Amino acid sequence: INDLCRNAGIKGLEKIEFYLPFIRFHSGWNELKSTDFGRTVNGLKGGEINSFYLQSIQDLSSKPTGSAERSEMQDYQSEILTDFADYCQENDVKILFIVEPQLTIKSNVVGETNTMADYLENRGFDVLNFWEDTEAREALGLDLSQDFRDEKHVNVHGGAKYSRYLAAYIQNQYGFADKRGDSEFGDWDEALGKYH
């Protein structure tokens, strides 16, 4: 993304609109085409605007939430995670790993993910695990009948709650200052107004 932005002349905070959509692609990164990186900046700083996110509501109130289940990581998962953790520690990269709010899905995925979270915590990384941390899940305040678009993704209502919770968590844990109203970051306030 850095190379693409540099070649396209995209600098500073404008690059964030390319990072956040990239994160949304998940494992589809290997299917991206050059047209996915066109220079279309909409001024929303990566804010999600697709209708599925904005309009979908699935009532999941009958589904189970949270799990303390553990299962062994697969070899490739362990290898990749170890390499990544080694790289971060060797380069003094500070990371908060998050198991995002979603409902309990395949048992092996939950168990492997919780085991990965344990591994990372044991390596000294910060981990916020919404599958296992009942207190964090309750503080988040998600309404299972209104705040999800499917079992793995929140909708715009859940996204707003998650964003508020995560912003407060990061400010409290790491001392990040609230930049709202700061003229140097006014384009973020403009983006928020445009989004609303």
Side-chain angles (χ1 to χ4, degrees):
I1 293 173
N2 277 330
D3 290 340
L4 288 162
C5 287
R6 184 172 44 256
N7 291 334
I10 301 167
K11 298 178 181 172
L13 293 175
E14 232 180 23
K15 291 195 297 187
I16 199 77
E17 294 197 45
F18 292 90
Y19 281 97
L20 294 181
F22 185 73
I23 292 168
R24 281 200 312 263
F25 291 126
H26 300 306
S27 59
W29 63 269
N30 58 348
E31 299 168 4
L32 295 176
K33 304 174 291 307
S34 60
T35 54
D36 291 318
F37 292 93
R39 192 175 186 343
T40 52
V41 177
N42 63 13
L44 295 178
K45 303 291 186 191
E48 179 65 77
I49 57 172
N50 77 49
S51 60
F52 190 59
Y53 174 73
L54 295 174
Q55 298 171 4
S56 295
I57 295 176
Q58 187 174 2
D59 184 350
L60 300 173
S61 53
S62 64
K63 300 284 184 178
T65 60
S67 173
E69 187 174 334
R70 297 290 188 280
S71 59
E72 192 173 337
M73 283 188 281
Q74 297 177 45
D75 289 343
Y76 81 93
Q77 293 170 325
S78 179
E79 183 180 327
I80 291 169
L81 197 58
T82 299
D83 286 349
F84 185 67
D86 289 346
Y87 174 85
C88 291
Q89 289 179 325
E90 288 165 10
N91 292 282
D92 198 30
V93 176
K94 305 296 182 207
I95 294 184
L96 167 63
F97 289 91
I98 302 171
V99 180
E100 295 192 338
Q102 54 183 291
L103 299 206
T104 301
I105 52 175
K106 294 179 186 174
S107 180
N108 67 311
V109 173
V110 173
E112 290 167 358
T113 302
N114 285 335
T115 300
M116 288 179 209
D118 292 343
Y119 172 81
L120 291 165
E121 284 181 329
N122 290 335
R123 290 281 307 258
F125 292 101
D126 292 338
V127 177
L128 181 58
N129 185 347
F130 284 102
W131 275 349
E132 189 171 52
D133 189 336
T134 305
E135 188 177 308
R137 209 169 46 249
E138 288 173 1
L140 189 55
L142 290 178
D143 179 346
L144 298 181
S145 69
Q146 295 290 316
D147 293 341
F148 282 83
R149 69 179 192 193
D150 58 41
E151 291 184 3
K152 296 182 184 179
H153 300 94
V154 294
N155 58 25
V156 67
H157 309 293
K161 290 176 182 178
Y162 178 58
S163 294
R164 281 192 296 273
Y165 178 89
L166 192 57
Y169 181 89
I170 290 171
Q171 285 176 337
N172 292 334
Q173 288 291 113
Y174 306 106
F176 278 41
D178 186 341
K179 300 285 198 298
R180 288 174 294 185
D182 183 331
S183 60
E184 189 175 340
F185 297 89
D187 54 337
W188 286 87
D189 292 326
E190 288 174 28
L192 181 59
K194 185 176 179 183
Y195 187 82
H196 286 297

